[in-house]
Amino acid sequence: MATSDNDSPPVYREIADTLREEIRSGRLSDGARVPGENDLMKQYGVARATARQALSVLINEGIVVAIRGSGIYVRAFRPLRRHGPRRLSRALWGSGRAVWQADAPDGDFETDSIEVGEVPAPGYVAKALGLAEDTLVVRRHRRYRLGGRPMQLATSYLPAKLAAGTAIAEADTGPGGIYARLAELGRAPAHFTEEIRVRMPTPDEARELRLSPGTPVMDVLRTALTAEHEAVEFNEMTLDGSAYVLQYDFDA
């Protein structure tokens, strides 16, 4: 492998590029074991530190996962397809089904780490809901898991004057979830807005979602509004970036 040209990338990056291409082409498939340090040392005639750097590049990119005592493997990427309009349709939650059932209708979805209580609205939440800062809101935090794997964190905020004392303020909101309960209160969501941002996780998020090094998260910030454009919920979601494909359909 040529390394004498000052314009050439470092050897470890050349090795990482070669392995990355093998993964992208399918020669190294999902879940396949990647050549380890000893294999790379022998194949490329490099020092252990160079081989380790090459593998670290792919680990930090989230392409491969290191399993202690076993080796390094291509990350198995079988993402859920999150269809924005379909999952928020009234036909879904109005019939008593949960929004996440649109993502994995046959999947073993469950929620845990549920926290519900009244808190003063942070500034950005108050702005989204059209409230004065520090107005009381009902805060609902939960984690979603599929087949035991953490997939998403979600924190909803609803005006306390609307949600306090209702099933929305309970751990189990009942069939159809928050939106079905809002409909019963005469505040059915009719419009939604979503903003999407991609970033690296905080240490707490990485722990709660059990993220491997190099895995980004997607923030989905959704506001639910009534037909009169009254904001009734602000939902702050943090998704495992390796677990989802976001799909949106538009008419021309």
Side-chain angles (χ1 to χ4, degrees), residues 181-222:
R181 303 292 80 75
L182 285 171
E184 292 169 356
L185 294 170
R187 297 290 196 282
H191 306 279
F192 296 94
T193 65
E194 287 191 343
E195 295 181 5
I196 300 169
R197 307 168 186 169
V198 179
R199 59 177 174 81
M200 298 308 294
T202 66
D204 284 345
E205 290 167 343
R207 175 182 52 79
E208 282 195 83
L209 290 172
R210 301 178 194 167
L211 300 176
S212 300
T215 304
V217 293
M218 292 184 285
D219 284 336
V220 180
L221 309 178
R222 181 170 71 227

Side-chain angles (χ1 to χ4, degrees), residues 86 88-97:
R86 185 183 304 145
L88 295 174
S89 69
R90 185 163 186 164
L92 183 75
W93 48 263
S95 64
R97 290 180 290 165

Side-chain angles (χ1 to χ4, degrees), residues 53-234:
Q53 279 183 295
L55 294 171
S56 294
V57 168
L58 301 182
I59 291 171
N60 289 335
E61 291 177 357
I63 297 173
V64 301
V65 178
I67 300 178
R68 182 172 297 178
S70 178
I72 297 176
Y73 297 84
V74 178
R75 182 190 294 277
F77 184 65
R78 297 179 182 84
L80 288 180
R81 188 165 294 275
R82 185 183 185 275
H83 191 287
R86 185 183 304 145
R87 69 195 308 273
L88 295 174
S89 69
R90 185 163 186 164
L92 183 75
W93 48 263
S95 64
R97 290 180 290 165
V99 168
W100 50 257
Q101 286 182 289
D103 298 336
D106 301 319
D108 182 21
F109 249 118
E110 59 181 346
T111 57
D112 65 6
S113 303
I114 300 172
E115 303 171 3
V116 185
E118 292 187 26
V119 299
Y124 68 99
V125 172
K127 182 178 180 180
L129 292 175
L131 303 173
E133 191 166 346
D134 291 333
T135 299
L136 283 181
V137 291
V138 171
R139 175 185 179 273
R140 297 183 52 83
H141 177 79
R142 60 274 194 205
R143 180 175 67 170
Y144 292 91
R145 299 191 301 167
L146 178 61
R149 173 184 172 176
M151 303 287 285
Q152 170 185 328
L153 306 175
T155 305
S156 292
Y157 300 89
L158 303 96
K161 65 179 181 180
L162 173 64
T166 72
I168 295 171
E170 302 293 332
D172 183 357
T173 55
I178 290 173
Y179 298 149
R181 303 292 80 75
L182 285 171
E184 292 169 356
L185 294 170
R187 297 290 196 282
H191 306 279
F192 296 94
T193 65
E194 287 191 343
E195 295 181 5
I196 300 169
R197 307 168 186 169
V198 179
R199 59 177 174 81
M200 298 308 294
T202 66
D204 284 345
E205 290 167 343
R207 175 182 52 79
E208 282 195 83
L209 290 172
R210 301 178 194 167
L211 300 176
S212 300
T215 304
V217 293
M218 292 184 285
D219 284 336
V220 180
L221 309 178
R222 181 170 71 227
T223 305
L225 305 103
T226 67
E228 293 74 30
H229 283 265
E230 174 191 0
V232 289
E233 182 217 26
F234 178 72

Side-chain angles (χ1 to χ4, degrees), residues 29-43:
S29 58
D30 288 354
R33 192 176 188 278
V34 176
E37 292 178 10
N38 291 336
D39 300 319
L40 296 178
M41 290 167 61
K42 182 177 179 180
Q43 181 177 352

